[in-house]
C-alpha cells in the first residue's frame, strides 16, 4: 500500500508536473524524504497531494533502496547549495529527440530536487545558464566541440564552463543524443557527490563499445544464480503492461553508461524467439531505446528444431542457415536496433555446432551472417568445458564423465582450466568481423580469485570481450557484503605480456589499445524484483562499479566506491570513510574465509552455497571440489606446471615465469598452480598449514571488523538500511566462521597438524558440517 501511494505520488505529482514543461504554477511543499519541492495548484492534484503528503509523512526519511544511486536529495550543505543555485539559474535544452527529452527531464527533475527550485527553460542565452545539446541543436556547442574538443567521439560527452556574450554558461555537450544523456548524468553526479562545478573542462568517452548486462533470467521468472527475488521481466504481462521498473532500470543503466541488456539466460529457451515472445521483447526494447540501451537475446542453438520444425540445427545446412536469416529479418522488423545474440554452445549440456560435428567458427559465423545485414553482433561464449561431440539433440547426460574413484582418488578428466584455450585458439582470425568471443575473467568460473583467463592475449586476430559476474554466485550469494571492483580491476590490470610488458587485459579488450573493431564487456546481472533491486544493499555497488569500469577501466576501485557511497548513502566524511574502508577490504576478506592462497571451486554442490571441500561424487569429475584442491597426506593444490596438467604453458613466458616456481609464485595464486607440502615454507617463514589457518582466521576477523565499522555509523545511516545491513553482516560473520571451521577441519584430516594459536576452533564436528543440506538454496533457477 505504501509503495503504491509513494509511486503514485512520485510519478503523478512530483515528476509529471515538472515534465509537463513547467507550465503549472508552483508553491512549496514537502516530498517523501522531507525535502522541499514544488507542487501543482490544480485542485484535484492538490487534494491528492495533500492526502499523500499526510500519509507519506508517517514514513519520512525511509530508504528502501529503490532509488539506487539516483537519489538526488536536496543538497544538505547550505553553502554548497547556495553556490550551485547561483551557478545554475536557467536551462537551454532543445529536445528534438526522445533521448534528449529524457535527458532534459532528468536534469530538470534532479536539479529541481537537489537545488529545491524549478529551473526555467529558455531559448536564448542568459547568465548562469546551463546549456545542453549537440552541435545540431546549438551553434555554441558546435563551436565549442570543434575548437576545444575535436577528438570527442562516439557517445562521449563534455562538461565545460565558459563566458559567451558576457554570460557565464555551464555546457553539457556531445556529438550524439545519448552522449548528452551521459553528460547529464555525469553532471548530476558532480552535484550529488558535492564536487565543484566552477571551472569545468572535462571530456569523457568510453573505451569499450558494448557495455552489457547479461541477465540469466528464465521465461518462468526464475533467475539462474539470482539472489534478489524473481526476474524483473514480467513476461506474462508483457507487452501490454509496462512496469515502471523497466523505465527505472533503463535510467539506472544509462546513468553509468551501460548500453545493452541480454534479457534471457545463457541456458537458453527457444521460445523467446517465437512471435509471441518477440512482441514482448519489442515492448522492452521500445522502453529502453530512449536511454540508449539495446536489447540482445540468447539464442539456443537447437531453435530451428525446437520451434522451427527442422530436423537438424547443423550450421552448415542451408535450411538451417535460411531459418536463422529469416528469424533475424523477423526480429529486426520488430526491433530495428536489436543488438544481436549471445550464445552458449557445447557447454554444460547446451547444444552447439559440435553436436553436429562442426566447429565454433561454423556456429558463430552462421549467426554472424544472419545478423550482419542488420548490423547485429554475435557474442559467442568461450565458457566451454566439454569438447566431446554430442550426437543429435542436446542431452545433458551425454557428456558426463566418470566420477573420481573414491578409493584411489584418481581423476581421469583433463584439466578444465585448459579447455577454452584449447578449443578457441585454433580458430583465431576465423570468426566474422561481427563476432565477439565472450571470455569469463578467469579460466574456471567466477571464483573469489582466479588468475586471468589465458585466452586474453592469445587470440590477437579475434576481438575478445570480458565477462564478469555481478551476481555473487561464489562470493556469498545474496548475503555477503563483497565489493567486486577490486576483483574486476585485478583482472583488467593483469599483464598478459602478449605485446610486451604493459599488455594488460584491459588493453586487450579496449579498442584504443587493441585496435579491435568491436569491443565489449559484460556483467552477469545481480538484479531481481526485490524492492531494492539487488537484495543486499551493497550489491548495488557491484552493478554500479561494473558500469563505471565498462565505461572507463582506468577508474580506481576506491574512486568508484567513493562516488557510489556519496550518492547512495551520504557525503558525510565519517560515513564515506568507514564504508569505503569496509568495501575495499571486503573482497580480500571473502577470498580469505572461502578460498585463500589459490584454493578454488570448493563450495557446495549445484547450489554452490557454503563450503563443501569433501565432495567427490558428482557426475562429472570437474564438478567435484576434490578435483580442484587435490589434498592428500603430502600437501594440497593443483599442479599446473609441466609435471602436472601444464596449463601454465597457455600463458606468455613472462607470465608463466611469474607463477612457475612454488617458492616465488605470488602466494595468492599458489594452489592454482602448485601441489605443495603442508610444511612448505611461506614467505613469512610460516608453514603452509599455519598460513592457511591464519588466512581463514583473518577473513573472519575482517568480517568482525566490518561489523564494528558499520555499528560505528549508528544514527548516520537511515534506519531501514542500517538494520538490513547489520543483520546481513551477522549472517556473513556466521558463514565466514562456518567456512573456516568446515575447511580447516577437513584439510586437517590430511595435514594432521594442529590448528595454530589465535585461530578459532570449530564448535562442531566435521561430520556435522558434512551433514548440512540446503534443498531450496536460491539461485538454481530451475534449469540446473
Ligand atoms: C556457472 C553457473 C551456471 C551457468 C554457467 C555459465 O557454471 O553455475 O549456472 O550456467 O556458469 O556461465 O554458463
Amino acid at each position: 500500500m505504501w509503495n503504491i501511494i509513494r509511486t503514485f505520488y512520485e510519478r503523478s505529482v512530483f515528476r509529471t508536473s515538472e515534465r509537463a514543461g513547467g507550465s503549472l504554477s508552483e508553491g512549496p511543499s514537502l516530498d517523501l524524504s522531507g525535502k522541499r519541492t514544488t507542487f501543482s495548484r490544480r485542485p484535484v492534484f492538490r487534494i491528492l497531494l495533500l492526502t499523500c503528503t499526510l500519509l507519506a509523512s508517517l514514513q519520512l526519511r525511509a530508504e528502501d533502496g529503490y532509488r539506487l544511486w539516483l537519489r538526488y536529495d536536496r543538497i544538505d550543505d547550505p553553502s554548497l547549495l547556495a553556490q550551485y543555485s547561483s551557478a545554475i539559474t536557467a536551462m537551454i535544452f532543445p529536445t528534438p529527440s526522445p533521448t534528449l527529452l529524457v535527458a532534459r527531464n532528468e536534469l530538470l527533475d534532479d536539479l529541481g530536487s537537489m537545488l529545491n527550485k524549478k529551473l526555467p527553460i529558455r531559448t536564448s542565452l542568459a547568465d548562469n545558464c546551463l546549456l545542453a545539446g549537440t552541435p545540431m541543436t546549438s551553434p555554441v556547442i558546435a563551436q565549442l566541440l570543434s575548437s576545444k574538443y575535436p577528438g570527442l567521439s562516439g557517445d562521449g560527452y563534455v562538461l565545460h564552463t565558459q563566458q559567451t556574450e558576457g554570460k557565464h554558461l555551464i555546457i553539457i555537450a556531445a556529438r550524439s543524443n545519448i552522449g548528452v544523456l551521459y553528460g547529464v548524468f555525469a553532471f548530476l553526479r558532480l552535484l550529488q557527490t558535492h564536487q565543484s562545478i566552477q571551472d569545468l573542462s572535462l571530456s569523457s568517452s568510453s573505451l569499450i563499445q558494448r557495455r552489457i548486462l547479461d541477465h540469466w533470467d528464465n521465461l518462468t521468472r526464475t533467475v539462474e544464480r539470482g539472489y534478489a527475488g524473481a526476474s524483473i521481466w514480467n513476461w506474462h504481462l508483457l507487452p501490454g503492461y509496462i512496469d515502471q521498473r523497466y523505465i527505472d532500470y533503463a535510467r539506472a543503466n544509462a546513468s553509468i553508461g551501460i548500453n545493452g541488456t541480454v534479457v534471457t539466460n545463457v541456458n537458453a529457451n527457444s521460445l523467446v524467439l517465437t512471435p509471441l515472445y518477440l512482441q514482448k521483447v519489442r515492448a522492452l526494447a521500445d522502453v529502453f531505446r530512449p536511454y540508449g540501451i539495446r536489447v540482445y537475446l540468447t539464442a539456443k542453438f537447437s531453435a530451428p528444431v525446437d520451434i522451427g520444425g527442422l530436423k537438424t540445427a547443423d550450421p552448415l545446412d542451408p535450411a538451417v542457415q535460411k531459418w536463422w536469416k529469416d528469424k533475424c529479418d523477423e526480429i529486426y522488423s520488430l526491433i530495428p536496433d536489436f543488438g544481436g545474440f549471445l550464445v552458449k554452445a557445447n557447454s554444460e549440456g547446451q547444444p552447439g555446432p559440435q553436436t553436429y560435428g562442426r566447429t565454433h567458427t561454423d556456429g558463430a559465423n552462421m549467426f554472424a551472417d544472419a545478423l550482419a545485414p542488420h548490423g547485429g553482433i554475435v557474442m559467442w561464449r568461450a565458457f566451454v568445458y566439454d569438447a566431446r561431440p554430442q550426437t543429435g539433440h542436446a542431452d545433458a547426460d551425454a557428456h558426463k564423465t566418470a566420477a573420481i574413484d573414491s578409493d584411489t582418488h584418481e581423476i581421469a578428466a583433463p584439466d578444465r582450466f585448459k579447455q577454452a584455450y584449447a578449443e578457441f585458439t585454433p580458430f583465431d582470425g576465423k570468426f566474422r568481423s561481427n563476432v565477439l568471443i565472450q571470455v569469463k575473467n578467469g579460466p574456471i568460473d567466477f571464483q573469489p580469485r582466479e588468475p586471468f583467463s589465458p585466452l586474453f592475449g592469445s587470440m590477437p586476430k579475434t576481438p575478445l570481450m570480458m565477462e564478469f559476474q555481478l551476481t555473487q554466485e561464489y562470493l556469498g550469494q545474496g548475503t555477503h557484503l563483497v565489493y567486486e571492483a577490486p576483483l574486476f580491476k585485478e583482472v583488467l590490470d593483469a599483464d598478459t605480456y602478449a605485446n610486451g610488458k604493459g599488455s594488460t587485459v584491459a588493453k586487450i579488450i579496449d579498442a584504443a589499445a587493441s585496435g579491435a573493431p568491436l569491443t565489449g564487456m559484460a556483467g552477469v546481472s545481480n538484479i531481481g524484483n526485490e524492492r531494492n533491486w539487488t537484495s543486499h544493499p551493497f550489491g548495488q555497488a557491484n552493478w554500479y562499479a561494473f558500469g563505471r569500469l565498462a565505461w572507463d577501466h582506468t577508474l580506481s576501485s576506491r574512486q568508484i566506491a567513493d562516488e557510489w557511497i556519496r550518492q547512495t548513502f551520504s557525503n558525510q566524511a565519517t560515513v564515506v570513510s568507514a564504508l569505503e574502508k569496509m568495501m575495499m577490504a571486503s573482497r580480500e576478506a571473502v577470498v580469505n574465509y572461502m578460498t585463500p592462497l589459490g584454493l578454488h571451486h570448493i563450495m557446495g554442490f549445484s547450489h554452490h552455497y557454503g563450503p563443501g571441500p569433501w565432495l567427490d561424487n558428482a557426475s562429472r569429475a570437474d564438478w567435484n571440489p576434490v578435483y580442484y584442491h587435490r589434498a592428500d597426506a603430502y600437501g594440497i593444490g593443483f599442479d599446473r606446471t609441466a609435471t602436472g596438467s601444464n596449463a601454465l604453458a597457455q600463458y606468455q613466458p613472462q607470465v608463466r615465469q611469474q607463477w612457475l616456481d612454488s617458492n616465488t609464485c605470488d602466494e595468492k595464486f599458489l594452489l592454482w598452480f602448485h601441489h605443495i607440502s603442508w610444511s612448505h615454507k611461506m614467505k613469512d617463514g610460516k608453514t603452509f598449514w599455519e598460513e592457511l589457518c591464519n588466512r581463514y582466521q583473518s577473513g573472519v576477523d575482517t568480517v568482525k571488523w566490518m561489523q564494528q565499522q558499520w555499528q560505528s555509523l549508528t544514527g548516520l545511516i537511515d534506519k531501514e538500511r542500517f538494520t538490513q545491513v547489520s543483520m546481513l553482516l551477522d549472517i556473513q560473520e556466521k558463514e565466514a566462521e562456518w567456512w573456516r571451521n568446515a575447511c580447516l577441519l577437513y584439510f586437517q584430516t590430511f595435514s594432521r597438524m594442529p590448528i595454530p594459536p589465535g585461530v578459532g576452533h570449530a564448535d562442531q564436528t566435521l561430520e556435522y558440517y558434512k551433514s548440512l543440506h540446503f534443498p531450496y538454496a536460491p539461485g538454481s533457477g530451475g534449469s540446473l
Side-chain angles (χ1 to χ4, degrees):
M1 178 64 187
W2 280 113
N3 288 340
I4 294 170
I5 292 170
R6 169 193 292 246
T7 309
F8 189 76
Y9 174 91
E10 283 172 349
R11 279 191 233 155
S12 305
V13 182
F14 180 54
R15 291 201 175 252
T16 315
S17 65
E18 297 202 323
R19 285 188 174 168
S23 58
L24 306 172
S25 54
E26 279 89 43
S29 177
L30 281 179
D31 84 346
L32 293 174
S33 55
K35 69 195 177 204
R36 296 178 73 76
T37 180
T38 55
F39 71 87
S40 155
R41 284 204 180 116
R42 282 184 187 163
V44 59
F45 272 131
R46 196 162 183 187
I47 292 164
L48 187 60
L49 174 61
L50 290 174
T51 316
C52 291
T53 305
L54 192 68
L55 293 171
S57 65
L58 297 175
Q59 59 160 12
L60 281 180
R61 294 247 154 246
E63 285 277 359
D64 61 13
Y66 184 82
R67 295 185 297 163
L68 298 161
W69 49 88
L70 307 168
R71 289 158 71 242
Y72 304 121
D73 284 342
R74 190 163 86 160
I75 302 293
D76 54 9
D77 174 336
S79 77
L80 205 55
L81 177 62
Q83 259 181 49
Y84 289 161
S85 252
S86 58
I88 313 169
T89 57
M91 181 186 297
I92 303 177
F93 202 150
T95 56
S97 84
T99 296
L100 290 180
L101 187 63
V102 157
R104 188 195 70 177
N105 288 339
E106 190 68 45
L107 202 54
L108 265 181
D109 287 351
D110 304 337
L111 286 178
S113 170
M114 283 192 285
L115 306 183
N116 188 35
K117 67 176 183 186
K118 183 160 177 49
L119 291 175
I121 304 253
R122 295 195 189 285
T123 48
S124 58
L125 296 185
D127 200 20
N128 296 320
C129 184
L130 214 160
L131 168 66
T134 65
M136 299 283 285
T137 68
S138 157
V140 175
I141 288 177
Q143 162 68 17
L144 172 70
L145 294 190
S146 62
S147 61
K148 294 214 162 67
Y149 301 94
L152 183 75
S153 60
D155 292 335
Y157 60 83
V158 159
L159 303 182
H160 187 86
T161 43
Q162 68 179 36
Q163 293 287 123
T164 303
E165 297 167 15
K167 299 180 174 78
H168 184 259
L169 302 180
I170 299 178
I171 300 176
I172 302 176
R175 295 202 189 279
S176 68
N177 295 338
I178 188 66
V180 176
L181 181 63
Y182 292 156
V184 161
F185 279 116
F187 181 69
L188 291 167
R189 183 157 60 232
L190 291 182
L191 271 69
Q192 240 201 148
T193 56
H194 291 191
Q195 309 296 305
S196 166
I197 54 166
Q198 268 166 3
D199 291 304
L200 297 175
S201 137
L202 68 91
S203 74
S204 179
S205 299
S206 178
L207 301 169
I208 303 281
Q209 295 156 1
R210 310 278 173 147
R211 305 174 296 274
I212 298 179
L213 278 187
D214 287 359
H215 286 261
W216 286 358
D217 294 19
N218 297 309
L219 300 181
T220 56
R221 294 195 74 181
T222 54
V223 181
E224 181 151 346
R225 311 309 178 187
Y227 311 102
S231 167
I232 53 174
W233 318 129
N234 192 334
W235 292 108
H236 188 62
L237 295 191
L238 280 165
Y241 184 84
I242 300 299
D243 194 319
Q244 174 66 25
R245 260 195 199 250
Y246 305 153
I247 301 162
D248 295 333
Y249 166 86
R251 203 178 143 236
N253 280 326
S255 78
I256 47 176
I258 289 173
N259 65 4
T261 174
V262 183
V263 293
T264 47
N265 192 357
V266 284
N267 294 320
N269 184 334
S270 300
L271 274 185
V272 79
L273 299 175
T274 58
L276 175 74
Y277 276 91
L278 288 178
Q279 288 297 340
K280 298 169 191 278
V281 177
R282 172 201 203 161
L284 289 176
D286 289 345
V287 172
F288 300 157
R289 190 165 298 113
Y291 293 89
I293 294 166
R294 288 177 192 232
V295 165
Y296 299 75
L297 290 174
T298 45
K300 186 153 187 131
F301 205 83
S302 54
V305 179
D306 301 342
I307 57 168
L310 300 190
K311 294 226 155 26
T312 176
D314 181 347
L316 298 191
D317 185 312
V320 173
Q321 293 171 350
K322 178 171 183 328
W323 190 86
W324 281 111
K325 274 191 194 296
D326 291 348
K327 187 47 73 182
C328 288
D329 292 347
E330 181 189 349
I331 295 174
Y332 279 93
S333 71
L334 298 169
I335 310 167
D337 57 351
F338 179 66
F341 292 129
L342 170 64
V343 188
K344 172 174 177 177
N346 294 115
S347 177
E348 298 187 324
Q350 292 298 313
Q354 293 168 356
T355 316
Y356 303 94
R358 311 298 184 192
T359 65
H360 285 296
T361 35
D362 294 333
N365 290 345
M366 171 191 68
F367 286 107
D369 291 343
L371 288 159
H374 308 282
I377 64 161
V378 185
M379 294 171 288
W380 190 263
R381 294 180 90 223
F383 178 72
V384 293
Y385 62 89
D386 192 90
R388 259 158 299 171
Q390 296 162 273
T391 44
H393 223 36
D395 173 1
D397 289 324
H399 63 299
K400 284 177 179 167
T401 56
I404 289 168
D405 185 307
S406 55
D407 297 325
T408 62
H409 273 238
E410 278 295 305
I411 300 162
D415 186 358
R416 179 169 143 190
F417 186 118
K418 293 164 61 178
Q419 197 147 347
Y421 179 101
E423 280 200 42
F424 278 86
T425 49
F427 299 115
D428 187 24
K430 305 231 162 63
F431 292 96
R432 300 275 194 267
S433 60
N434 58 337
V435 176
L436 271 166
I437 302 300
Q438 182 167 309
V439 184
K440 285 189 181 181
N441 58 270
I444 299 292
D445 192 8
F446 300 137
Q447 297 300 295
R449 168 165 281 129
E450 298 199 27
F452 67 89
S453 163
L455 273 176
F456 294 114
S458 301
M459 295 186 66
K461 291 183 252 152
T462 308
L464 304 185
M465 78 185 278
M466 173 63 75
E467 180 175 347
F468 285 127
Q469 194 187 50
L470 317 184
T471 193
Q472 295 170 228
E473 177 179 359
Y474 303 100
L475 290 156
Q477 305 194 345
T479 45
H480 294 204
L481 191 166
V482 180
Y483 174 50
E484 292 182 286
L487 185 164
F488 303 157
K489 283 292 284 184
E490 183 175 290
V491 177
L492 291 166
D493 293 344
D495 200 340
T496 68
Y497 287 89
N499 309 307
K501 193 168 167 46
S503 315
T504 60
V505 171
K507 288 187 180 160
I508 301 290
I509 61 167
D510 101 23
S514 68
L518 193 56
T519 55
M521 199 189 281
V524 179
S525 150
N526 58 352
I527 298 165
N529 73 346
E530 288 275 358
R531 178 74 192 157
N532 74 358
W533 302 85
T534 54
S535 191
H536 198 305
F538 280 76
Q540 295 177 1
N542 294 332
W543 178 6
Y544 184 84
F546 167 74
R548 296 289 287 134
L549 283 173
W551 179 268
D552 180 0
H553 57 69
T554 67
L555 294 171
S556 75
S557 305
R558 190 176 296 282
Q559 200 176 340
I560 296 171
D562 184 273
E563 278 178 10
W564 179 78
I565 296 163
R566 289 173 184 277
Q567 297 172 93
T568 310
F569 283 101
S570 158
N571 278 289
Q572 267 182 286
T574 336
V575 176
V576 176
S577 148
L579 295 191
E580 202 177 286
K581 280 193 263 168
M582 282 170 69
M583 289 168 73
M584 291 304 293
S586 62
R587 189 285 181 116
E588 210 53 43
V590 74
V591 170
N592 282 332
Y593 65 72
M594 285 188 183
T595 51
L597 299 167
L599 280 168
H600 49 283
H601 213 287
I602 57 169
M603 65 288 148
F605 178 67
S606 178
H607 50 57
H608 297 169
Y609 171 66
W614 46 81
L615 296 170
D616 63 0
N617 61 356
S619 52
R620 282 185 61 103
D622 55 9
W623 282 348
N624 284 306
V626 298
Y627 167 93
Y628 292 97
H629 64 66
R630 302 184 175 215
D632 56 23
Y634 169 81
I636 182 169
F638 200 130
D639 181 3
R640 291 191 168 103
T641 67
T643 52
S645 77
N646 206 17
L648 262 180
Q650 295 185 336
Y651 291 100
Q652 296 295 325
Q654 296 92 326
V655 180
R656 212 180 301 156
Q657 202 54 38
Q658 249 163 231
W659 295 328
L660 193 59
D661 180 344
S662 62
N663 292 308
T664 52
C665 175
D666 188 340
E667 288 179 348
K668 57 180 190 263
F669 293 122
L670 197 54
L671 303 188
W672 273 100
F673 299 110
H674 299 280
H675 188 75
I676 53 153
S677 92
W678 297 109
S679 50
H680 172 89
K681 261 251 181 335
M682 300 296 282
K683 290 187 181 129
D684 62 6
K686 296 201 170 62
T687 65
F688 176 82
W689 170 250
E690 284 168 327
E691 188 70 28
L692 184 74
C693 296
N694 290 340
R695 293 287 177 118
Y696 270 108
Q697 182 59 39
S698 134
V700 172
D701 291 344
T702 308
V703 177
K704 289 185 196 292
W705 168 85
M706 280 160 57
Q707 285 177 305
Q708 287 159 10
Q709 290 289 306
W710 185 252
Q711 290 308 321
S712 76
L713 300 177
T714 310
L716 299 179
I717 306 267
D718 53 280
K719 205 163 154 246
E720 213 167 338
R721 288 184 297 177
F722 187 80
T723 314
Q724 223 179 338
V725 174
S726 300
M727 291 188 290
L728 289 166
L729 282 170
D730 289 349
I731 296 177
Q732 187 170 357
E733 186 212 356
K734 285 199 182 65
E735 295 193 353
E737 286 179 340
W738 170 32
W739 271 90
R740 177 199 63 195
N741 295 347
C743 291
L744 290 184
L745 277 181
Y746 169 72
F747 290 132
Q748 198 179 26
T749 64
F750 299 96
S751 80
R752 309 214 167 268
M753 289 170 158
I755 304 278
V759 176
H761 280 258
D763 46 7
Q764 300 284 350
T765 61
L766 179 57
E767 289 318 307
Y768 165 81
Y769 294 116
K770 285 185 174 178
S771 73
L772 299 176
H773 289 288
F774 307 95
Y776 301 112
S780 305
S783 70
L784 295 179

